[in-house]
Amino acid sequence: MQEVSLWLVPQPEDAAYLQGIIDQLAEKYQAPRFRPHVTLAGRLQVSVPYQASLSELAVATPILQLHNQGLDHSTALFRTVYIRTSLADSLVTLREQVYELWPENAVKPFMPHISLIYKEMASSERQLIIQSLRIKETFIFDTLAVVRPQQPGEWTAVETWRTLDQWNLNHQTAEVNPLS
């Protein structure tokens, strides 16, 4: 078993858009840079090899269009400032299937979001960031990725996160969700 996080990664155009915001905030606030993503399942204990199971899930999952449900912030490091996203049916199904593959993992509450900065900061600073941002309305996610830090369990060492594997979602079908 190894501990990994499963991410949904946006298509290249949306990834570049979000990476620009992440990099700008990282530079301004001396915060770590990271790849834009929605965490599907964090700190998941998976059996090795996991590749065949996740490859099958990716092929069976349509490309996801997630809607911006507004900006928010918290004291949690991995949700310092973030975009709340819609809860697409295929996203919920994919997450359930992941936990069916590895039922020994406790299912944690799910709040899909795209983090924009990881940094401990005062509420007033986080609110200023939110006020300064204008974020587009929708994002397309087309890749499932397996990520872990260089040193197992060292998730706060954001700069050491590495993508171990990734698969394209099913490009033949795309789920377009109405705004909810």
Side-chain angles (χ1 to χ4, degrees):
M1 298 292 265
Q2 68 174 315
E3 186 179 81
V4 299
S5 284
L6 300 183
W7 288 0
L8 290 171
V9 179
Q11 69 176 359
E13 180 181 305
D14 287 340
Y17 171 85
L18 291 163
Q19 192 69 63
I21 296 167
I22 291 166
D23 289 350
Q24 180 183 22
L25 291 172
E27 185 172 329
K28 183 173 182 176
Y29 294 97
Q30 291 77 53
R33 295 181 190 320
F34 54 91
R35 186 176 179 194
H37 64 279
V38 167
T39 301
L40 181 65
R43 297 184 176 201
L44 189 70
Q45 296 292 326
V46 298
S47 53
V48 180
Y50 54 78
Q51 289 86 351
S53 298
L54 291 178
S55 175
E56 288 175 22
L57 280 183
V59 167
T61 302
I63 292 173
L64 299 168
Q65 180 179 35
L66 301 181
H67 296 278
N68 174 347
Q69 300 290 309
L71 291 168
D72 209 345
H73 66 98
S74 78
T75 57
L77 178 64
F78 297 124
R79 285 193 312 269
T80 306
V81 174
Y82 60 94
I83 303 165
R84 286 176 290 141
T85 65
S86 54
L87 200 57
D89 290 343
S90 291
L91 178 60
V92 172
T93 300
L94 176 60
R95 183 172 154 84
E96 289 169 353
Q97 290 169 329
V98 164
Y99 281 99
E100 286 170 11
L101 286 172
W102 295 285
E104 59 277 7
N105 289 275
V107 180
K108 300 171 190 132
F110 188 42
M111 184 188 71
H113 65 277
I114 305 165
S115 292
L116 300 175
I117 185 170
Y118 297 147
K119 173 123 178 154
E120 288 183 23
M121 31 179 38
S123 176
S124 58
E125 270 190 300
R126 297 189 307 262
Q127 290 170 349
L128 282 173
I129 291 172
I130 287 172
Q131 291 168 3
S132 73
L133 294 173
R134 299 292 170 261
I135 305 293
K136 66 188 238 161
E137 292 301 313
T138 60
F139 299 93
I140 305 294
F141 288 81
D142 68 352
T143 303
L144 176 64
V146 177
V147 177
R148 74 174 184 136
Q150 195 169 357
Q151 295 299 316
E154 294 291 329
W155 290 99
T156 57
V158 174
E159 300 89 349
T160 73
W161 291 353
R162 300 290 178 257
T163 301
L164 302 179
D165 290 290
Q166 63 182 30
W167 301 270
N168 291 330
L169 299 183
N170 186 337
H171 287 250
Q172 302 304 311
T173 59
E175 178 175 287
V176 178
N177 292 318
L179 291 172
S180 51

